[in-house]
Amino acid sequence: MRVVIAEDLALLRDGLIRLLEAFGFTVVEAVDNGPSLVRALTTHRPDVAVVDVRLPPTFTDEGLKAALEARRQIPGLPVLVLSQHVEQLYARELLSDSTGGVGYLLKDRVSDVGQFVDAVRRVAEGGTALDPDVVAQLLTKRAREEPLQALTPREREVLGLMAEGRSNAAIAARLFVTEKAISKHTNNIFAKLGLAPSEDDNRRVLAVLAYLGV
């Protein structure tokens, strides 16, 4: 998989390059500012972008805004955001686009190399990877709850773990139930949210978007 990295700290940027290449990824370019990120993404059209939120020149939300601009030019471009904090406005805008994989991880929670690499792969393949704290903070600002009223408490719990990017097997292990039981819950969730089977739409992603109210 081809990756573009955006990180302004040289040591961390070099570390991400070495880490991803050690796991078989090809880093086609690594940049340290927002304008260069837009150029790199539109030029290389990578399989996934790993983007720090705060980049020069503003050191606020330049990286996330650059990723959104690139996705407007390349619909469905997979983006995994790394941040110290949750930038709610732009995070919601990123998640509201149901085309292409998206992820949002807090830097201080990325302590497990295997989980991080799995998140990069999952986003590149069109899935989601959301930090539990990101989910919690977005939920506090959720604009609507109506689509979720029909869900049982257990189905909400399953959907919350799905929002973190967990597979049915991982959810089953977390809740100490069988994978068959989780499969039944997910099918019930899809049905209650009106997500019919489709070759074009990733129902897990759409269910997560409904859960977050974006």
Side-chain angles (χ1 to χ4, degrees), residues 33-67:
N33 63 80
S36 293
L37 174 58
V38 175
R39 176 197 53 75
L41 293 177
T42 54
T43 299
H44 296 290
R45 295 176 176 253
D47 297 303
V48 62
V50 178
V51 178
D52 183 14
V53 168
R54 298 188 174 185
L55 293 175
T58 66
F59 288 103
T60 54
D61 47 23
E62 195 73 20
L64 192 47
K65 288 196 291 188

Side-chain angles (χ1 to χ4, degrees), residues 1 15 23 36 47 53 58 64 83 85 105 115 118 135 143 145 157 173 184-185 192 201 214:
M1 293 182 180
F23 280 85
S36 293
D47 297 303
V53 168
T58 66
L64 192 47
S83 178
H85 310 283
L105 301 179
Q115 289 183 1
D118 178 66
V135 173
E145 293 189 355
E157 189 174 14
K184 181 179 179 180
H185 285 312
K192 291 178 179 180
D201 295 328
V214 296

